[in-house]
Amino acid sequence: MMRVLVINPNASVEMSDVIREQLHAVARLDVVVEVVNPPGAPPAIESALDEAACVPPMLALVREAAGQGYDAVVIACFSDPGLDAAREATDLPVVGIQDAAMHLAAQIGYRFSVLTTLAHRSPVRERAALLAGLDRRLASCRPLDLPVLETVVNREQVVEKIVRIGRQAIEEDGAEVLILGCAGLGDLAIRASRELGVPVVDPNAAALKLCETLVGLRLTHSRAGLYRSRPREEAMV
Amino acid sequence: MMRVLVINPNASVEMSDVIREQLHAVARLDVVVEVVNPPGAPPAIESALDEAACVPPMLALVREAAGQGYDAVVIACFSDPGLDAAREATDLPVVGIQDAAMHLAAQIGYRFSVLTTLAHRSPVRERAALLAGLDRRLASCRPLDLPVLETVVNREQVVEKIVRIGRQAIEEDGAEVLILGCAGLGDLAIRASRELGVPVVDPNAAALKLCETLVGLRLTHSRAGLYRSRPREEAMV
Amino acid sequence: MMRVLVINPNASVEMSDVIREQLHAVARLDVVVEVVNPPGAPPAIESALDEAACVPPMLALVREAAGQGYDAVVIACFSDPGLDAAREATDLPVVGIQDAAMHLAAQIGYRFSVLTTLAHRSPVRERAALLAGLDRRLASCRPLDLPVLETVVNREQVVEKIVRIGRQAIEEDGAEVLILGCAGLGDLAIRASRELGVPVVDPNAAALKLCETLVGLRLTHSRAGLYRSRPREEAMV
Amino acid sequence: MMRVLVINPNASVEMSDVIREQLHAVARLDVVVEVVNPPGAPPAIESALDEAACVPPMLALVREAAGQGYDAVVIACFSDPGLDAAREATDLPVVGIQDAAMHLAAQIGYRFSVLTTLAHRSPVRERAALLAGLDRRLASCRPLDLPVLETVVNREQVVEKIVRIGRQAIEEDGAEVLILGCAGLGDLAIRASRELGVPVVDPNAAALKLCETLVGLRLTHSRAGLYRSRPREEAMV
Amino acid sequence: MMRVLVINPNASVEMSDVIREQLHAVARLDVVVEVVNPPGAPPAIESALDEAACVPPMLALVREAAGQGYDAVVIACFSDPGLDAAREATDLPVVGIQDAAMHLAAQIGYRFSVLTTLAHRSPVRERAALLAGLDRRLASCRPLDLPVLETVVNREQVVEKIVRIGRQAIEEDGAEVLILGCAGLGDLAIRASRELGVPVVDPNAAALKLCETLVGLRLTHSRAGLYRSRPREEAMV
Amino acid sequence: MMRVLVINPNASVEMSDVIREQLHAVARLDVVVEVVNPPGAPPAIESALDEAACVPPMLALVREAAGQGYDAVVIACFSDPGLDAAREATDLPVVGIQDAAMHLAAQIGYRFSVLTTLAHRSPVRERAALLAGLDRRLASCRPLDLPVLETVVNREQVVEKIVRIGRQAIEEDGAEVLILGCAGLGDLAIRASRELGVPVVDPNAAALKLCETLVGLRLTHSRAGLYRSRPREEAMV
């Protein structure tokens, strides 16, 4: 038995419901998934300001996760806010859905594109690919022009947008794989893939499966470099 | 139930035994793993000549895998020989242990090092990291000075070498994660990790878990670009 | 007359005193510099956790800066915590001392090295250089092995360390310019430069001068891409 | 008091007049700016041949600058001709307007575009960005299709072109900041910025402000690497 | 006198005839060129599967080349299949036409484009440029949408396509030099160049001339790294 | 019959004698090589100042080369001074020995090192590799600590240095091929190669052979981009 804590770091309970339902469908039978919103989270995460605001309440949950019997933590916002800090805060594996999705996509095609929500988040995605080392593998980042909270409403229109913009990424940018760049879109991956004829990565599922892998192999983030720091109170003991 | 075909593309039955035993220990309960050597394989794969020789017999097995009820294929040689061709040859997910190990390592630390068998294989590893897009994440590739077939004999000496060279990679090159760069070494990852205090990636296990992920999410390599070609006989039908 | 708000985002009043004294010495006569600590700041910023903790109180000050008649803001911590968010929060120019120091160094020599406080912050510096686009210009990042708060005590020892480690960077890594990688070290740049015979960049001064430049040319960060988002309350009006 | 020698290395006195007037408007009150043409300069600098021809007369002025009481030198041609040689020739800070403009732009937005004069100069700009380390930050280099000497005549048409081509760079290439890529265009930056709604960098002003910074901080180019050589006659003494 | 063995690793005798005729026209008077197809070669090389299939028969010829008095070997397929293995197999210089063409193009212009046969081979070319280190010099890879074997039939149509697609590469991608990306196209380079007004590199000729250079300077591939391995039977002696 | 003009752009007649003798030994029988010093050249080229000074007299010779019946021009200084300008000045192929040597080395091994004369010229070589696109292929640039003019005196000591420093490049930096980084060293390549057991590239010979290739294939630099400009007087006609 394995327990995974999925933190949706914004305040949308509706989005958490969508994520929960979806992950239950793809989780292994022996994996328990809990999806929560941190108290005091911002309504949605669409800016660096939102990211800064969502991290402290999210970290409070991360710190308690090990004590509550979880085996791994997923940060279910495509910007991977606070990922480095969360890894410093716990020895449990902590997985960001953007990083997991990009590495998974890179393993099944040469070039992938990210379908992001808002146009001004493109440089954020491009910098994430650069830090991941996958900038040469990123064919493009195309905006769906869709605020985060709208990803879970009016879903037929959302699917139609994904298919239309996704097709542009394939035909004009040479994308071989697509990534749905928002936690609220994950469950649409299979439909989109069926329509477009290329693999479409659901970032939530990619992150959950990476947790299964890490826990299964008893691996977690290294403490020898980037994540060497520990919480000050702990370091002081 | 899921069935994974692990092809050890050299002729060493001893090495296949080691890989089989190891993978049985880490596979999920509902995953059946079979490890085979292709008829006519070269004794070991330590050069581009060996790679060229091992690919045709390996591809024969890949082509039959779907018909025999397998769900995924692992190429269990750290050079990932014939990976592109194998993906053209089948719609089953095909995973190379080097690519899987590098992406897994990149997800749990900023810099990783590969412990390779022979010094002259270092440029091969570096070019693989470059193609993967992970060249900036590769701290170093350090040779163990160990022919491939010796990885599965005299194991205390092998462990001692891994620990000694691995420590140099951590202390001198800034590696936060290590990869054991040969299919014959995979089972030593846990011991090495315990001694060195950093995550050590077993490439066989990394590949098996990626298969579990891909099959679980019904994903396989994209046919929209690099792997678009199909076997000529099939294309002609 | 120009007024620059320098935010030292940790809780050390001693460090702010050092920074204030130093900046008064290099500011133009018509530039008023105020150095403050945000209420509720962490003791020092030596981890991603510290960065996450320091950002919200710092942003509160950034938001009020324009209303209080400031013309520009400096974030005086070498990790540039919250720089993107701060730029979203205000139309005043906001300058991070790390980014300013790296660009200044790159304009007076081909290769520069950063002398950072603690060894595990090296990957943080390297990733900052990568995002800045200056990774090829970074000769090395060498740790002084000095906790942040000790930079402002026992200064003879600190200078001795800077000179010793700086010399290694010049002789072994090919550094032509050095950057003192902590706000608490800035005032030692001139002494270090005199001893080492190469330019040594004080990051606080680099940032202040960039403020003078931006205000003088009526430039601020672009709102057309990375910094397009604005505070939610404002966007809602 | 600070004295800055601005060398317009072509023969156009009209262009020098435009530069002088513009720089007087942005220079600090205590900064004296002199703009000169070297005797024997080529009519305009639009090729590598022009660059080769303009360097020797320009260097003669650089060599005398310190003796004449200048504190810093600006090379006011966007190709930064002879910048390395000029730095070898004097210990005064020497600033090229292209390098200064690119670094300034990179500090106020993620992606910048250069509006260059003639199409065939684009590879020259791209190679300069590469050497600066800013190739990933360069969104595009778009030609105005305007010979250098026409930049200072018929200015309404020139502004119209800048606005039209600049808008393409913003909308099609993702530029967040624009650079006017010719010394003759610098004074139009403020008008262009007002029309386009993004920061527009005047390279002459960027260079002048960098001189103010370097002199204010008593910094000059390092003699430890790229600029180690000195004039032969001096070295022989 | 120098003898060069040109191996066309597919089964098309017609293509070998075209290559032979063409190379006779550009070879030095004292250079004897022989063009052969390996027994058992695949009909054409348009996939990784084809590459895998063509290598073993090709290597048999490479192994015998020195004994038969050849001075150098050319692999006349634009994917350079088996190049590394061939270099391990013989001490004679072995030249791939893709690598030779890219380096030659890079020496006569800043950006070059490859006109490849089929669209899905573009990632293959891009990865070859990456390994060569010439990715920044590659303006684009544009498909002619032409199966390999059709390159040598209906040549007026082929020329028309080269000119049309080549013009797009020049005008839209900034290519200064073009490479004809298939052994079957080499002889059309001069006509294409005349029509397009830019240098067009014939990869067969580029490879032949590199052989002349290497043999003339008594150079061959280094045995100190990537090509250190030797055939197992030889190593065992 | 082909005539190649080799310009040694410094004033050393002794060095020209060495180059001439050496090139006569490697030139094809039907190739006439003339080695000249431009009137007014600087004594040696060891700085950017020297480069700036040597270019105008060199260009005068380049301009006349076509009229005097030459078929190609070599610039025989390892810094390739004035190469872009020379290509603008003539339609004859113009080859720089550094660029030719780097591309030749990259075609016979994965990593090459340059043995340069003086330590401070290392950044110059590294930037040249970057512009060539071969930075990832450059293992290192190691100084021989030898002024340019001493390369042609006391040759036993020079050979001993090349062998000693070259061995370090092979063993410590992973170089598979060496380049002798000065026109005065070219003739020592064969001896060095014999002693070191790796290919050693003579840059003069590499450039001459590239001329033979270009003239033989009727290729010259493209006029479609970087080298589009032509001499002003000519453009005015």
Side-chain angles (χ1 to χ4, degrees), chain A residues 26 28 87 99-100 103-104 106-110 130-137 175-177 190 198-201 205-206 209-210 213-214 217-222 224-227, chain B residues 26 28 87 99-100 103-104 106-110 130-137 175-177 190 198-201 205-206 209-210 213-214 217-222 224-227:
Chain A
V26 298
R28 280 165 32 192
R87 287 180 172 174
D99 198 52
H103 281 285
L104 186 57
Q107 291 180 84
I108 53 175
Y110 191 59
L130 183 64
L131 288 181
L134 297 174
D135 43 311
R136 278 196 305 268
R137 311 291 297 275
E176 302 173 28
V177 181
I190 285 178
V198 302
V200 177
V201 173
K209 291 296 170 187
L210 181 57
T213 290
L214 293 173
L217 300 178
R218 281 181 277 169
L219 287 171
T220 190
H221 45 283
S222 175
L226 188 57
Y227 312 116
Chain B
V26 298
R28 281 165 30 192
R87 288 179 171 174
D99 198 53
H103 282 285
L104 186 57
Q107 291 179 83
I108 52 175
Y110 191 59
L130 183 65
L131 288 181
L134 297 173
D135 44 311
R136 278 196 305 267
R137 311 291 297 275
E176 302 173 29
V177 181
I190 285 178
V198 301
V200 177
V201 174
K209 291 295 170 188
L210 181 58
T213 290
L214 293 173
L217 300 179
R218 281 180 277 168
L219 286 171
T220 190
H221 46 283
S222 175
L226 188 57
Y227 311 116

Side-chain angles (χ1 to χ4, degrees), chain A:
Chain A
M1 247 270 295
M2 186 189 302
R3 295 181 67 218
V4 178
L5 175 66
V6 177
I7 307 177
N8 168 11
N10 69 27
S12 167
V13 174
E14 294 70 23
M15 189 175 287
S16 294
D17 290 345
V18 170
I19 296 171
R20 184 179 305 110
E21 189 170 351
Q22 168 210 2
L23 288 181
H24 286 172
V26 298
R28 280 165 32 192
L29 290 182
D30 60 336
V31 173
V32 175
V33 176
E34 309 220 22
V35 183
V36 300
N37 302 82
I45 300 171
E46 297 176 315
S47 65
L49 280 167
D50 290 335
E51 289 187 48
C54 83
V55 171
M58 185 191 79
L59 288 176
L61 297 185
V62 170
R63 279 198 182 90
E64 297 163 2
Q68 293 176 339
Y70 286 104
D71 297 291
V73 178
V74 169
I75 301 178
C77 165
F78 200 73
S79 300
D80 294 349
L83 180 57
D84 290 354
R87 287 180 172 174
E88 290 176 356
T90 183
D91 287 327
L92 298 183
V94 183
V95 172
I97 66 172
Q98 177 175 238
D99 198 52
M102 284 186 177
H103 281 285
L104 186 57
Q107 291 180 84
I108 53 175
Y110 191 59
R111 290 253 159 79
F112 61 85
S113 285
V114 174
L115 305 187
T116 196
T117 47
L118 297 165
H120 67 272
R121 298 301 273 171
S122 288
V124 180
R125 308 290 168 247
E126 288 161 19
R127 299 205 302 181
L130 183 64
L131 288 181
L134 297 174
D135 43 311
R136 278 196 305 268
R137 311 291 297 275
L138 180 68
S140 62
C141 184
R142 284 194 175 248
L144 297 169
D145 226 343
L146 200 68
V148 166
L149 296 184
E150 289 187 22
T151 58
V152 290
V153 295
N154 212 337
R155 308 219 87 199
E156 287 314 304
Q157 278 188 19
V158 171
V159 168
E160 182 276 329
K161 269 200 168 181
I162 289 172
V163 171
R164 184 161 43 81
I165 309 290
R167 189 158 285 136
Q168 292 170 4
I170 296 165
E171 291 174 2
E172 295 170 30
D173 309 333
E176 302 173 28
V177 181
L178 299 179
I179 295 174
L180 299 183
C182 182
L185 297 171
D187 64 316
L188 304 175
I190 285 178
R191 275 188 61 186
S193 178
R194 209 177 299 131
E195 301 236 20
L196 287 164
V198 302
V200 177
V201 173
D202 161 1
N204 305 319
L208 177 64
K209 291 296 170 187
L210 181 57
C211 288
E212 292 178 5
T213 290
L214 293 173
V215 175
L217 300 178
R218 281 181 277 169
L219 287 171
T220 190
H221 45 283
S222 175
R223 290 296 198 168
L226 188 57
Y227 312 116
R228 187 181 300 174
S229 301
R230 289 166 189 278
R232 195 171 298 277
E233 59 274 30
E234 196 178 307
M236 285 177 177
V237 175

Side-chain angles (χ1 to χ4, degrees), chain F residues 11-75:
Chain F
S12 166
V13 174
E14 293 70 21
M15 187 174 289
S16 294
D17 290 345
V18 170
I19 296 170
R20 184 179 303 111
E21 189 170 351
Q22 167 210 4
L23 289 181
H24 285 173
V26 297
R28 282 167 27 195
L29 289 182
D30 59 337
V31 173
V32 175
V33 177
E34 310 222 19
V35 183
V36 300
N37 301 82
I45 299 172
E46 298 177 314
S47 66
L49 280 167
D50 289 336
E51 289 187 49
C54 83
V55 170
M58 184 192 79
L59 288 176
L61 296 185
V62 170
R63 278 199 183 90
E64 297 164 2
Q68 293 174 340
Y70 287 104
D71 297 290
V73 177
V74 169
I75 302 178

Side-chain angles (χ1 to χ4, degrees), chain B residues 5 21 38 40 49 54 73 84 129 136 141 147 155 161 172 174 180 184 200 215 218 220 232:
Chain B
L5 176 65
E21 189 171 351
L49 279 166
C54 84
V73 177
D84 291 354
R136 278 196 305 267
C141 183
R155 307 218 88 201
K161 269 201 168 180
E172 295 171 30
L180 300 183
V200 177
V215 175
R218 281 180 277 168
T220 190
R232 196 171 298 277

